[in-house]
Amino acid sequence: MSAGPQTPASAAGGPTALDEVRLDITGMTCASCANRIERKLNKLEGVQASVNYATEAATVRFDPARVDTDRLLATVSAAGYSAALPVPSAADEPAVGADPDAGLRQRLLISAALALPVVVLSMVPALQFENWQWLALTLASPVAVWGAWPFHRAAAVNARHGASTMDTLVSLGIAAAYLWSLWALFLGDAGMPGMRMSFSLLAEQGSGHDEMYLETAAAVTVFLLAGRYAEARARRRSGAALEALLALGAKDATVLHDGREVPVPIDQLRVGDQFVVRPGEKVATDGVVVSGRSAVDLSMLTGESVPVEVAAGDRVTGATVNVGGRLVVAADRVGSETTLAQLGRLVTQAQSGKAPVQRLADRLSAVFVPVVLVVAAATLAGWLLATGDATAAFTAAVAVLVIACPCALGLATPTALLVGTGRGAQLGVLIKGPEVLESTRAVDTILLDKTGTVTTGAMSLLEVAGHPDTLRLAAAVEAGSEHPIARAVAAAAGTPPAPVADFASRPGQGVSGRVDGRDVVVGSHDGLPPVSAELAAVVEAAEAAGRTAVQVAWDGEVRGVLVVADTVKPTSAAAIRRLRGLGLAPVMVTGDNPGAAAAVAREVGLDPDRGEVVAGVLPAGKVEVVARLQAEGRVVAMVGDGVNDAPALARADLGLAMGSGTDVAIEAGDLTLVRADLDAAVDAIRLSRRTLAVIKGNLFWAFAYNVALVPLAALGFLNPLLAGLAMAASSVLVVTNSLRLRRFQPVR
């Protein structure tokens, strides 16, 4: 399992506890901005920061003894950006129907309306009337100045801090085209009556005194504004899955006070409060059913469409829907401690991190802009020296500036991560961090805990042999015991148990009591009379299959046998076949006896004779199994749900924790599976691999785009107008490709 961030050592040499805070950042316009803020924050002593351009947020771990949040905010501000601590109150939520990008859209629409006549006039000589160029200047000036102001402002802020970003390239390109046009109009020949212009896709040679680039300044501005607007809308769609998840929670609860039902806001609910959930209502918060019986729809949290039956004593999760009868639930987790809130935090943390492949992209992006400025200057000088033509030299240099903006490179990873983790949250698969994606690709062996993972973890009655009254009498006595076998027998009877007198429990042997005037004993063969040959055969067959045979005696004779076992989950066999299809070798590890383990293994398609079962191991033994396989060169994943699985989950290269299990197991895992079946593990690995593939595809195309088109622009094969269109299109293409992950479907 990938290691988390390291904790700085204190002055005494021991580790120092770090606080963690999320900062909402505004003013970032590209990945270079995010890199710059991240570098500034990480220069502070005792600070570990990760800034995500797509989520417009920074996740900062810091030593409170060395730095506080005010200094963190001041550092971001000193870098030229704005930062604030998130405020979750309803007053700060945007109004319904509000468009956070309305200002950008207005700037885009006005700029497009002014730029269109300029482009048409410049490209179609037949439409160029007397002194048309002055109308073009009048229309283009607001676009190049006001429309492009976000780029100019960001470039100026970065210049004051001695830095350069994508906006530096855009601002220089637009400003150069506009200022050249002003020079040509007022000091050259372009302002003369009767001047005509033609349009070319390539850099044309000419004197330059009568060449204007107003259409380039205006059109490039519009293209880039359109790209930024589309990018902003797509980024919001990327995070829509997480927003939808967090919005699932109930807004109020009906609390029982002195027998009265009192509606209260959800934030006033306290641990221990009992609240009513009527049919069709959402469960207000996590809790335990006090009374009532119903079916609960878990699909919003697990993706599982079949409702689950619950009764008194069963746990229910906040935000799930009661689809049956009336329930009374005692709250045991409220506010930030609920399952829904924890899921939101896990997804947010995952989206805030960076995969190793993204760190490489960040390093490339950080040096890319200065390199492009050098390439643009070299292009200008090279054309002037080779041809002496200022027009061609200027056209090629501006095209280099515009085409090289590394927006797509910066968006490649975070947008895919946003969509992938959000879709996973909808399906009950929580990816703890982006580094997990790299692990899923390399895994070749998957260890499966038996109890609670491959099996249900609950005993069930499989067979009744002997006297017809065996089950009825045994269930009556077992109803007084809390043993898992006793619960299985009592549940199988299905009817209220008969009254029991003189109940007694014999540890390790069973229970006894008087039912209908008969002295009934239920337990193992120790202390019971010998069984008949017919019942002995049933006992022998059950034990050979790894099952538990419970004998039932009354009137001094064993008259029946009950066979119970931990039942295999219905989805386990198919899920193991799917894991094999993903190229993984499954191995079941369990502390159970070899007979029981072998029986379960064969039922789900595992072969004990081929080493696909390891039985009789303690928690330390599971860790040893992981270590042994790793020593053999395998990359190991582990699926488990109990406290005894936590060490192995932590030791494995990839830990998948069943969300139905313990908090310790979930904390130790890399992936949390809210659905308690192995199909969720299949979905987790498929989704992780798909997300990683999209990230790598995005990075390839983003990088290939820059590598391929910058030389073309430098050689004069690309007009600045088309360069602006291509640059904007590349960012939109990357985000749109990431959005395909929203269509990911679980296995059926």
Side-chain angles (χ1 to χ4, degrees):
M1 188 177 73
S2 301
Q6 299 300 309
T7 303
S10 67
T16 301
L18 298 183
D19 288 351
E20 182 170 303
V21 67
R22 174 187 167 97
L23 304 179
D24 292 333
I25 298 178
T26 55
M28 290 193 297
T29 55
C30 66
S32 297
C33 299
N35 294 335
R36 185 156 167 270
I37 297 170
E38 188 173 292
R39 288 197 303 271
K40 292 285 187 182
L41 288 171
N42 283 324
K43 285 181 180 178
L44 297 175
E45 191 175 3
V47 170
Q48 301 166 0
S50 176
V51 180
N52 193 314
Y53 170 49
T55 58
E56 296 181 314
T59 300
V60 186
R61 301 179 74 238
F62 63 98
D63 179 0
R66 302 180 184 180
V67 67
D68 57 15
T69 54
D70 288 340
R71 188 173 177 195
L72 297 176
L73 297 173
T75 300
V76 176
S77 179
Y81 306 89
S82 298
L85 296 171
V87 182
S89 65
D92 294 291
E93 295 178 0
V96 176
D99 184 357
D101 300 312
L104 181 57
R105 182 178 61 201
Q106 181 185 48
R107 191 180 297 269
L108 168 63
L109 293 176
I110 294 174
S111 297
L114 294 173
L116 181 61
V118 178
V119 174
V120 172
L121 283 172
S122 300
M123 294 177 65
V124 184
L127 298 178
Q128 294 170 1
F129 51 86
E130 193 80 8
N131 292 319
W132 68 273
Q133 63 270 43
W134 298 104
L135 174 62
L137 175 64
T138 303
L139 295 174
S141 293
V143 180
V145 178
W146 174 79
W149 181 247
F151 307 113
H152 299 321
R153 179 188 175 279
V157 168
N158 288 312
R160 284 203 305 271
H161 292 86
S164 57
T165 66
M166 180 208 83
D167 295 294
T168 305
L169 303 180
V170 173
S171 179
L172 283 175
I174 294 171
Y178 181 69
L179 294 175
W180 178 286
S181 301
L182 291 181
W183 177 82
L185 280 168
F186 289 100
L187 300 177
D189 300 329
M192 301 297 292
M195 190 277 283
R196 295 290 185 269
M197 262 185 66
S198 60
F199 176 77
S200 172
L201 296 178
L202 306 179
E204 285 190 322
Q205 296 189 21
S207 66
H209 295 287
D210 59 351
E211 293 292 333
M212 295 192 311
Y213 288 91
L214 291 173
E215 82 287 353
T216 296
V220 166
T221 299
V222 171
F223 289 149
L224 297 184
L225 286 174
R228 184 160 292 183
Y229 180 66
E231 174 190 311
R233 287 181 61 84
R235 286 210 312 267
R236 286 207 315 280
R237 289 177 63 200
S238 300
L242 176 59
E243 293 173 9
L245 174 71
L246 298 179
L248 291 175
K251 301 298 183 288
D252 49 43
T254 304
V255 177
L256 288 175
H257 279 310
D258 299 325
R260 294 181 299 109
E261 297 184 4
V262 181
V264 299
I266 193 66
D267 56 1
Q268 294 183 16
L269 199 60
R270 298 292 180 263
V271 173
D273 285 350
Q274 293 189 5
F275 59 92
V276 176
V277 189
R278 300 180 184 85
E281 292 183 343
K282 290 181 180 179
V283 178
T285 193
D286 297 0
V288 177
V289 177
V290 175
S291 64
R293 179 180 291 273
S294 181
V296 177
D297 181 0
L298 307 178
S299 60
M300 59 184 61
L301 288 179
T302 66
E304 186 61 53
S305 59
V306 180
V308 175
E309 294 290 333
V310 296
D314 292 332
R315 291 194 55 80
V316 290
T317 303
T320 54
V321 178
N322 178 18
V323 296
R326 179 180 183 271
L327 295 175
V328 176
V329 180
D332 65 358
R333 289 183 179 180
V334 297
S336 62
E337 300 303 316
T338 63
T339 299
L340 184 65
Q342 291 173 358
L343 300 190
R345 282 199 298 274
L346 283 173
V347 177
T348 301
Q349 289 167 6
Q351 293 177 344
S352 300
K354 292 184 180 179
V357 69
Q358 171 65 15
R359 297 190 185 103
L360 173 61
D362 287 347
R363 289 195 295 270
L364 290 173
S365 181
V367 301
F368 195 73
V369 173
V371 169
V372 168
L373 292 175
V374 173
V375 171
T379 300
L380 181 66
W383 275 83
L384 287 174
L385 291 173
T387 67
D389 188 337
T391 300
F394 177 79
T395 302
V398 170
V400 168
L401 289 173
V402 173
I403 199 67
C405 299
C407 274
L409 197 63
L411 289 168
T413 294
T415 52
L417 198 59
L418 272 174
V419 183
T421 52
R423 180 59 178 151
Q426 290 180 322
L427 299 175
V429 174
L430 302 179
I431 303 170
K432 280 195 176 180
E435 64 280 351
V436 172
L437 303 178
E438 300 278 357
S439 300
T440 59
R441 177 190 60 174
V443 165
D444 55 28
T445 304
I446 184 164
L447 301 185
L448 310 172
D449 172 53
K450 180 179 79 73
T451 306
T453 302
V454 176
T455 66
T456 61
M459 304 296 281
S460 296
L461 180 66
L462 301 182
E463 183 181 355
V464 180
H467 195 282
D469 279 344
T470 296
L471 179 59
R472 183 181 69 84
L473 295 175
V477 179
E478 294 281 38
S481 173
E482 289 299 316
H483 192 280
I485 292 178
R487 288 200 297 266
V489 173
T495 57
V500 179
D502 302 327
F503 173 82
S505 176
R506 300 178 297 165
Q509 294 184 347
V511 293
S512 62
R514 190 168 184 80
V515 183
D516 295 342
R518 300 171 176 176
D519 292 322
V520 180
V521 180
V522 182
S524 63
H525 55 79
D526 293 337
L528 290 176
V531 299
S532 65
E534 181 183 354
L535 293 180
V538 174
V539 172
E540 184 178 346
E543 291 178 347
R547 296 167 178 169
T548 301
V550 179
Q551 300 176 24
V552 184
W554 64 87
D555 296 336
E557 183 181 347
V558 175
R559 299 176 180 272
V561 173
L562 305 174
V563 179
V564 297
D566 182 5
T567 55
V568 172
K569 292 179 180 178
T571 58
S572 291
I576 287 174
R577 287 196 299 272
R578 294 185 179 110
L579 289 170
R580 292 189 194 275
L582 293 173
L584 304 177
V587 178
M588 188 175 74
V589 291
T590 177
D592 210 342
N593 67 76
V600 170
R602 292 190 178 94
E603 190 173 347
V604 297
L606 296 174
D607 188 351
D609 297 330
R610 295 175 54 191
E612 293 182 342
V613 177
V614 180
V617 292
L618 298 174
K622 293 184 180 181
V623 176
E624 291 172 3
V625 173
V626 174
R628 174 173 57 79
L629 291 171
Q630 289 173 330
E632 294 173 2
R634 300 202 202 180
V635 182
V636 181
M638 170 74 189
V639 185
D641 70 331
V643 172
N644 62 332
D645 298 320
L649 287 169
R651 181 68 174 83
D653 298 287
L654 179 70
L656 296 91
M658 290 284 188
S660 60
T662 65
D663 290 343
V664 175
I666 293 171
E667 183 64 28
D670 297 305
L671 288 160
T672 299
L673 313 175
V674 179
R675 295 199 331 260
D677 64 67
L678 279 179
D679 270 342
V682 178
D683 286 338
I685 293 172
R686 288 177 57 238
L687 177 60
S688 297
R689 289 181 175 180
R690 182 80 59 83
T691 303
L692 181 63
V694 169
I695 288 173
K696 292 194 169 183
N698 283 349
L699 287 170
F700 171 79
W701 288 112
F703 191 68
Y705 155 85
N706 283 120
V707 169
L709 294 188
V710 168
L712 288 179
L715 293 173
F717 292 113
L718 202 59
N719 183 283
L721 200 68
L722 295 182
L725 177 61
M727 198 283 286
S730 69
S731 295
V732 176
L733 177 65
V734 162
V735 177
T736 304
N737 186 45
S738 298
L739 288 172
R740 292 189 303 116
L741 288 167
R742 298 176 72 186
R743 299 198 297 270
F744 177 87
Q745 293 299 320
V747 295
R748 298 296 182 191

